[in-house]
Amino acid sequence: ELADTCRESVYLTILDKSACLYIYAIESSDRLLARTAIGERTPLHCTSAGKAMLSFLPTETVETLIKEQGMTKYNDKTIIDFAVLLNELKKSRDRGFAVDKEEHETGMFCLGSPVFNESGEVFAACSVSGTDPDILGKKKALFSAGVRYTALEISRRMGFVPSGDKKIWKEIANPLREV
């Protein structure tokens, strides 16, 4: 549903040691490259899926994972300062989704939201990705609501029950059905 509405690529990743491991992909038919991301490992510090997962982990765990992985610079937009990353993770946690503004791949714009297990621990992320800069512009409200809703639905199917004290879970309706 998310891929159909957004007409962009949608991914499901899991936290695999100190990286994102892509386990499911629906590639956009509009994408020029015919490739599959399944089985690919990407960094945590500069992808929306990675930052979505990191944003709901304890700071000590984030620090350990980043030390293991490093903060490789992929281009001029890659975050390579740990303090800047922590600030970005706080913003991601507060809004319930993370952004990748061409930080890993030039020309790619992504939004990702965390997926939780039955114990309320983040273990995966759902993301939407594409080459259209409007993903982070005029489409951001719809796409971010869609990725949050989808991640929450996956979490619920994994046994997660959202607690009422987190504002990011308050009344996430399905924005995809309204389009």
Side-chain angles (χ1 to χ4, degrees):
E1 194 172 13
L2 181 61
D4 289 342
T5 301
C6 296
R7 300 186 53 81
E8 299 291 353
S9 298
V10 173
Y11 302 105
L12 182 62
T13 62
I14 59 170
L15 186 58
D16 182 46
K17 297 178 183 159
S18 59
C20 290
L21 176 64
Y22 285 75
I23 61 168
Y24 187 78
I26 300 173
E27 297 288 354
S28 168
S29 59
D30 296 339
R31 192 158 183 177
L32 296 176
L33 293 174
R35 71 173 180 119
T36 182
I38 296 173
E40 184 178 333
R41 293 181 59 158
T42 58
L44 297 168
H45 74 288
C46 60
T47 59
S48 66
K51 290 190 284 184
M53 289 186 280
L54 288 175
S55 67
F56 283 87
L57 291 173
T59 303
E60 302 78 34
T61 304
V62 172
E63 189 171 0
T64 300
L65 290 170
I66 295 301
K67 280 183 182 175
E68 289 173 12
Q69 169 195 287
M71 293 182 76
T72 302
K73 182 177 180 176
Y74 292 90
N75 60 49
D76 290 340
K77 296 181 181 182
T78 306
I79 296 172
I80 55 170
D81 180 284
F82 188 69
V84 173
L85 176 64
L86 288 178
N87 186 50
E88 181 75 14
L89 297 180
K90 182 186 179 325
K91 290 180 197 174
S92 299
R93 185 173 45 256
D94 290 347
R95 66 182 169 228
F97 67 92
V99 298
D100 170 355
K101 303 170 236 163
E102 301 181 276
E103 295 162 47
H104 184 237
E105 292 181 64
T106 302
M108 294 300 294
F109 305 89
C110 315
L111 299 168
S113 195
V115 175
F116 300 90
N117 64 20
E118 71 282 354
S119 301
E121 299 162 335
V122 64
F123 76 101
C126 177
S127 65
V128 60
S129 174
T131 57
D132 185 352
D134 282 338
I135 290 172
L136 303 181
K138 64 184 179 183
K139 297 177 181 177
K140 185 177 179 181
L142 174 63
F143 286 15
S144 63
V147 78
R148 285 177 59 225
Y149 176 80
T150 301
L152 181 58
E153 284 302 301
I154 295 168
S155 299
R156 285 181 172 146
R157 291 175 188 187
M158 298 301 295
F160 175 68
V161 178
S163 64
D165 63 333
K166 293 197 172 149
K167 72 176 186 175
I168 64 164
W169 303 127
K170 300 240 189 227
E171 298 302 316
I172 297 178
N174 185 351
L176 306 173
R177 295 201 178 152
E178 298 168 9
V179 177

